[in-house]
Amino acid sequence: MQEAVIDTVRVAAAHEGVAELVVTLKHSNGGTSEVALDQLAADALLQACQASSPEQLAGHSWSKVREAMAVSWNRFSNN
Amino acid sequence: MSASLNAVRRSIFPADGDTWETIAAREFPNDDPATMAGQLQSWNMHVFMRPGAAAGSPREGNPILPSDVIFLEPPLAG
């Protein structure tokens, strides 16, 4: 089963109006799910996808989104 | 409206100590556990986005709770 890919992205206002990137993933059966990325994760995703704008993220795999989220989650890690 | 409510995503309750990898290995024995663990994470954002248990705790790094519903297939298409 093919993994999900980025279908669309949009910028939304998160807590206190800070911008977040809402990524819509499209699964192999046509179902969709959304995941919100903070700035650190969004920047990591853009870098991983070699994209200069959010519009260029479409088509990239879920694994890149997951890795970008890990960058944000691990920001306070002492490792 | 009633027709769409009849479609139910396959799901399980986790076994004691379950991780993404153990669920993947048990529920998808013919597939690579690491690959299916990634799939499971994408199908279960309500769990994946949750912070993992604290370092040094029995469930360190594992966001899966025994009371979670873990879906075994993607979100249904509209």
Side-chain angles (χ1 to χ4, degrees), chain B residues 28-40:
Chain B
F28 304 97
N30 298 324
D31 296 291
D32 173 55
T35 300
M36 291 314 299
Q39 293 278 45
L40 282 167

Side-chain angles (χ1 to χ4, degrees), chain A:
Chain A
M1 185 180 301
Q2 201 167 8
E3 66 175 5
V5 295
I6 298 173
D7 187 37
T8 60
V9 297
R10 60 185 171 87
V11 178
H15 188 61
E16 294 184 341
V18 175
E20 65 180 8
L21 195 68
V22 179
V23 174
T24 299
L25 295 169
K26 190 163 191 175
H27 299 270
S28 57
N29 66 339
T32 60
S33 53
E34 285 191 340
V35 58
L37 306 182
D38 61 15
Q39 183 177 349
L40 194 60
D43 287 344
L45 180 60
L46 286 166
Q47 190 170 19
C49 297
Q50 298 183 321
S52 56
S53 69
E55 291 74 24
Q56 295 174 0
L57 294 173
H60 285 278
S61 71
W62 147 248
S63 60
K64 291 185 178 174
V65 177
R66 184 180 58 198
E67 289 162 10
M69 294 165 72
V71 169
S72 179
W73 291 344
N74 293 330
R75 78 177 83 184
F76 300 117
S77 172
N78 292 324
N79 296 331

Side-chain angles (χ1 to χ4, degrees), chain B residues 22-50:
Chain B
T22 62
I23 294 173
R26 183 177 64 245
E27 301 295 334
F28 304 97
N30 298 324
D31 296 291
D32 173 55
T35 300
M36 291 314 299
Q39 293 278 45
L40 282 167
Q41 291 166 344
S42 72
W43 301 340
N44 293 278
M45 289 293 184
H46 60 291
V47 176
F48 181 66
M49 295 291 290
R50 181 188 301 144

